[in-house]
Amino acid sequence: MFNLGGLRSLFQQEEKTDSIRQVYVFNRYPEGVKLQTFADNAIKTSKYTLLNFIPKNLYEQFKRIANFYFLCVVVIMLCIETPIGPGTTMMPLIIVVTISLCKQGYEDYQRHRADNEVNQRRVSVIRNGTLQQTASRNIKVGDVVKIECEEEFPCDMILLSSSDDEGNCFITTANLDGETNLKILTCPDETKNLVTVQELYGLDASIECEPPNVDLYRFQGRIVFATDTSLDNISAMKSLGSTNLLLRGATLKNTKFVYGVPVYTGKDTKMALNQAQAQYKLPSIEWFVI
């Protein structure tokens, strides 16, 4: 006879495990642990590609009632004999559609340029025991990233250490919520004194946190410190909250530098989750008809 209570607890345990994001600092996975796949740090706000631009844009344009109406009129005039040639209706329609096509194409080209500028921005990452320069799009979950004063954070990161003796740093989130006042974030006590590359590279730790979500002011997790790379011998645990999370789009202020571990990258960042995809604009009456 099946034990339904035990079966239910098993399912609940599996569900709980799946809802936790496990991040290993420097991507030092313990032996036997399967490598995890996270979103890359490339940002994409554009709507079109070279392959789908024309068909996708034409589809969006002919969703407009006026354009679709004149298209139907042109088709009817081509199928039957009429006293007026179809060119009188076709030419204005082609001109309007072409102008709109060029306008939408130029706007999306500007989005591609902005995306490329952000994705190619140089950042400092600790890899193989040295501080290396790489493009922002190459940042991975688990890396240790160095951000200097007046630089924007390229992803959502857990603050490890800063140039401040108290382990604090100041940021502004004007790009996220419009607030221009400085906010104070704090480092875990166990890592606030690790301010050199060599000290940080000797850190053996993992971070457990909640899955990506849109709430800018909520974060729950913990950092687990170990005495070796196997992470079997736990030396300390520290709970993490929103005061430990550096959000992508925020800017470092009045602090010389900070080090952090990315936990959410690319489309998983809170900023990306709060951004609405650009849509083709239609009058409200046409949305009602559609």
Side-chain angles (χ1 to χ4, degrees), residues 62 64-74 89 93:
F62 284 109
R64 298 181 66 96
I65 299 300
N67 290 349
F68 184 72
Y69 169 77
F70 284 107
L71 177 65
C72 292
V73 170
V74 170
T89 305
L93 178 63

Side-chain angles (χ1 to χ4, degrees), residues 1-9:
M1 190 173 190
F2 289 106
N3 186 344
L4 295 180
L7 192 60
R8 188 180 298 111
S9 5

Side-chain angles (χ1 to χ4, degrees), residues 44 94 118 121 130 137 159 167 218 230 252:
K44 181 179 180 296
I94 291 176
V118 172
R121 186 176 298 160
T130 60
R137 67 183 307 149
L159 178 62
R218 191 194 78 183
S230 66
L252 183 64

